[in-house]
Amino acid sequence: MEYFLDTADLAEIEKAARALPITGVTTNPSIIKKAGAEDFFGHLKKIQAIIGEDKYLHVQAVAETAEGMVEDAKRIVAELGDHVYVKIPTTAEGLAAMKALKKMGIGVTATVVYTKAQAFLAMEAGADYIAPYFNRMENMGINSDDVISSMAGVIAMNDYNTKILAASFKNAGQVNRAIELGAQSITADPAILMDAIGAIAITDAVDTFLKDWKSLYGDKTIAEM
Ligand code: G3P
């Protein structure tokens, strides 16, 4: 499994990256806007400095034509290096861009995926990752579980190298379902992942263990015994 943080908030990334076993950070123009990143590449470089050079950044192209997306992608890679996947919206122009980028050896994440057909075509176009929008599909009455498991089945049947990068989550239950249904990677707001491990029952249990320990040995840790 791979876990990505779907945010450009530097403080949140710093906090979550310390604890969580992440592969990298994913962004899109709305996430960049929310973080108030006026210096686009400067902000992305700060993210890279926090997560480290071995991790990956997924950055979205914004041009509206295939040719423009390819130029965006080339600039993204020139600025940020090769630990980068360029997110391309899965439209007709986007598919044309994906084919061109794969010929150039640039990593591609097919994004804004709401339908099986988009996903299947992006696999054949050579996308390294495909990002189905789990919660947004549910909002539209599309069966997200079915889309994810069907994608996993088609990837396996055809031996594609593509990974499912399930995205757009509103709670940990949705994340768990995507993983169980075959997503090889997920991206989520750090709050969703941190909340899942910080639930009251869990912190209560840890507090009780600590209280019992301290009643026997005071403030000493095991290393200090
Ligand atoms: O990674 C895609 C994601 O950012 C979309 O999520 O929460 O805007 O539906 P959301």
Side-chain angles (χ1 to χ4, degrees):
M1 270 304 298
E2 294 177 350
Y3 293 86
F4 289 85
L5 305 175
D6 204 18
T7 180
D9 183 304
L10 301 178
E12 274 186 25
I13 292 171
E14 193 148 14
K15 199 166 124 208
R18 185 176 167 274
L20 303 175
I22 63 158
T23 297
V25 166
T26 56
T27 65
N28 62 36
S30 307
I31 285 174
I32 293 289
K33 179 182 172 193
K34 195 170 162 205
E38 275 169 27
D39 173 5
F40 179 64
F41 284 117
H43 193 89
L44 292 170
K45 285 173 189 170
K46 282 184 192 162
I47 295 178
Q48 284 184 315
I50 294 170
I51 60 178
E53 281 172 10
D54 57 323
K55 305 287 189 237
Y56 289 84
L57 261 189
H58 290 233
V59 181
Q60 193 157 328
V62 295
E64 293 174 70
T65 63
E67 295 70 24
M69 291 179 209
V70 169
E71 290 309 310
D72 277 359
K74 288 202 275 195
R75 179 74 194 281
I76 289 168
V77 172
E79 291 279 350
L80 302 171
D82 59 359
H83 271 215
V84 158
Y85 287 85
V86 180
K87 291 173 73 177
I88 303 286
T90 311
T91 58
E93 287 300 308
L95 285 167
M98 287 176 209
K99 290 193 292 175
L101 289 171
K102 285 324 297 172
K103 274 196 195 134
M104 298 164 62
I106 293 182
V108 167
T109 296
T111 191
V112 198
V113 169
Y114 288 72
T115 70
K116 291 183 191 177
Q118 280 179 293
F120 299 158
L121 290 168
M123 287 171 201
E124 188 58 28
D128 301 282
Y129 289 89
I130 300 183
Y133 277 12
F134 201 96
N135 187 66
R136 294 198 198 189
M137 286 193 279
E138 294 212 318
N139 288 346
M140 290 168 66
I142 298 169
N143 185 337
S144 311
D145 292 20
D146 179 44
V147 172
I148 304 264
S149 56
S150 159
M151 284 174 68
V154 172
I155 288 171
M157 266 191 297
N158 292 278
D159 261 334
Y160 286 127
N161 284 323
T162 312
K163 290 179 188 166
I164 301 169
L165 172 55
S168 174
F169 293 109
K170 285 296 157 278
N171 58 61
Q174 291 178 332
V175 174
N176 292 346
R177 264 158 56 212
I179 293 170
E180 286 162 359
L181 291 163
Q184 297 87 351
S185 53
I186 67 97
T187 185
D189 188 305
I192 292 177
L193 301 173
M194 295 302 277
D195 282 356
I197 52 173
I200 300 228
I202 301 171
T203 51
D204 274 1
V206 175
D207 285 351
T208 304
F209 289 140
L210 200 59
K211 226 189 311 158
D212 288 344
W213 175 268
K214 285 187 174 178
S215 70
L216 269 179
Y217 304 115
D219 283 337
K220 271 191 188 158
T221 64
I222 292 174
E224 291 162 351
M225 297 192 80

